[in-house]
Amino acid sequence: MGTQAGIQGRDVVTLDTFSAQEIRAVTARARELKAGGFGTPLAGRSLAMVFFDPSLRTRASFAIAFGSLGGTVIDLVAGRDLWPLEMREGAVMDSVADEHVRDAARVLSEYADVIAIRALARGGDWAQARRDTVIVSFQKHATAPIFNMESVLDHPCQAWGDALTLEEALGEPKGKKIALVWCYHPKARPLAVPHGVGVMATTLGMNLSVARPPGYDFDPHVERTMSRAATASGGSVRFVEDMAEAVRDADVVYAASWGSLDLHASPEDERALRDRYRDRRVTRELMAGTREARFMHAMPIRRNVEADDAVVDAPGSLVIEQAANRLHVQRALFQEVLGV
Ligand code: CP
């Protein structure tokens, strides 16, 4: 079939490395694959997935997408299957780590045509965590393309699947209003999903309204990326505190939760701050202030904590479509990156 998006050989690590045209070309190919057959163009190709953290949707969609296109998949869990990895350049490896990421990445590149990594934050301050050391180290040393299955900073394949869901639900996303609302969660969740969704929405020309309580800003560099993307696309981005203000006249309400960057290294203080906002969840009453908005969430979702059952299970909810579209976009992305 050949490539349509012109992204052959590229890493898929952060969404901001892709243009609106490239994002749209991949979702167009995903729609074609969803509507028709796809054969086995990845026969003889292989995918190595490395998980440092749990996953349902990403693991299943990556493995089934690659396998259904004829390829071979290996699923490696850090702490169970891998030797403990050293990430520091030039380290004297006389402690716990048995293998350097430099060697693991180069060896996996000999076996696999694509390497996919999931590695979330491991505590510490945000300045350190935001370096995304695991995926950046694999990216530096691997010769095969790297796919981000969610890292500290981004979850590009989630956002790409969401772009397809938005196109299917709204038609052209440009000019539509999306409200990204911080909801309470008993754990400090990663910023990867809200970052990815914010970059995707602004790149596609949507009007993004982010509602978050004090202390829950995005990474400043990613906020600037969203502002630049909005300026380039004719969209907009604004940050408010009040959920009702953010969702007013919205076409889409996207619920998410994320931890405080300022308190990234102080989990107890972060919990104390987050607990002040226990009542922030998406209710039917909140949705009533929208333009009959569709509801989105990347899942897993804490029902009746982040959003009420009445919202998650309402006819306007897109949560299952979002999860399903991860598979269709993943088939498209693998074919585009591998040039088949
Ligand atoms: N949305 C998402 O990435 O789900 P998993 O964490 O289950 O993969």
Side-chain angles (χ1 to χ4, degrees):
M1 191 172 182
T3 60
Q4 298 174 11
I7 62 169
Q8 186 173 350
R10 299 257 297 271
D11 291 336
V12 181
V13 170
T14 61
L15 197 70
D16 65 356
T17 57
F18 295 94
S19 66
Q21 195 179 5
E22 289 165 341
I23 294 171
R24 290 174 195 278
V26 170
T27 57
R29 184 151 194 195
R31 279 199 304 279
E32 287 171 19
L33 292 168
K34 200 171 170 176
F38 37 79
T40 54
L42 297 188
R45 307 291 186 103
S46 51
L47 162 68
M49 304 193 297
V50 183
F51 286 94
F52 290 80
D53 294 280
S55 165
L56 187 156
R57 279 143 290 271
T58 306
R59 169 181 266 118
S61 61
F62 270 63
I64 293 171
F66 208 90
S68 64
L69 293 167
T72 300
V73 180
I74 183 166
D75 181 338
L76 301 165
V77 176
R80 186 192 71 187
D81 304 317
L82 302 185
W83 299 104
L85 283 181
E86 175 63 65
M87 300 289 166
R88 295 170 302 159
E89 295 294 337
V92 177
M93 292 177 55
D94 60 357
S95 184
V96 176
D98 291 299
E99 179 151 46
H100 201 282
V101 65
R102 169 191 292 265
D103 300 318
R106 287 161 71 189
V107 168
L108 280 178
S109 299
E110 295 293 322
Y111 305 144
D113 298 278
V114 177
I115 299 172
I117 309 289
R118 169 167 286 202
L120 308 179
R122 293 280 175 279
D125 66 20
W126 179 249
Q128 173 63 31
R130 76 174 309 286
R131 292 181 191 163
D132 244 339
T133 303
V134 176
I135 193 153
V136 168
S137 298
F138 271 95
Q139 202 175 7
K140 180 175 176 185
H141 297 297
T143 53
I146 297 289
F147 271 64
N148 183 351
M149 297 195 291
E150 190 174 356
S151 69
V152 178
L153 280 179
D154 210 337
H155 196 354
C157 298
Q158 176 69 51
W160 223 311
D162 291 342
L164 174 59
T165 304
L166 286 165
E167 288 172 354
E168 289 176 340
L170 304 179
E172 170 55 53
K174 187 175 170 65
K176 303 287 193 325
K177 178 176 176 180
I178 181 168
L180 182 54
V181 296
W182 186 99
C183 297
Y184 177 74
H185 192 290
K187 297 178 182 170
R189 298 285 297 147
L191 277 102
V193 167
H195 278 171
V197 170
V199 170
M200 176 272 292
T202 49
T203 302
L204 296 182
M206 298 186 79
N207 297 312
L208 171 66
S209 190
V210 183
R212 80 281 183 259
Y216 286 88
D217 291 335
F218 290 160
D219 177 77
H221 176 83
V222 178
E223 277 196 18
R224 285 194 290 277
T225 299
M226 290 178 199
S227 294
R228 277 198 303 273
T231 302
S233 67
S236 64
V237 55
R238 70 184 189 122
F239 294 86
V240 300
E241 188 176 332
D242 186 45
M243 294 171 83
E245 182 184 345
V247 306
R248 192 170 301 130
D249 296 329
D251 299 287
V252 180
V253 174
Y254 199 120
S257 192
W258 59 93
S260 170
L261 303 188
D262 296 340
L263 300 176
H264 201 262
S266 311
E268 290 310 313
D269 294 335
E270 201 284 336
R271 173 183 289 277
L273 178 63
R274 194 158 20 89
D275 279 353
R276 287 191 215 164
Y277 305 111
R278 276 179 172 271
D279 58 348
R280 288 181 75 113
R281 71 178 194 284
V282 180
T283 61
R284 202 153 43 185
E285 293 69 33
L286 186 77
M287 294 296 286
T290 68
R291 197 183 292 169
E292 297 189 358
R294 313 304 298 268
F295 175 74
M296 295 178 76
H297 188 289
M299 302 174 100
I301 185 166
R302 293 277 186 142
R303 284 170 172 265
N304 305 308
V305 174
E306 293 182 86
D308 288 351
D309 281 344
V311 174
V312 181
D313 298 326
S317 171
L318 295 170
V319 296
I320 301 300
E321 285 87 342
Q322 286 177 261
N325 278 335
R326 295 289 307 276
L327 176 63
H328 303 298
V329 155
Q330 213 49 55
R331 282 198 187 102
L333 276 169
F334 285 139
Q335 293 195 63
E336 289 292 336
V337 168
L338 290 173
V340 297

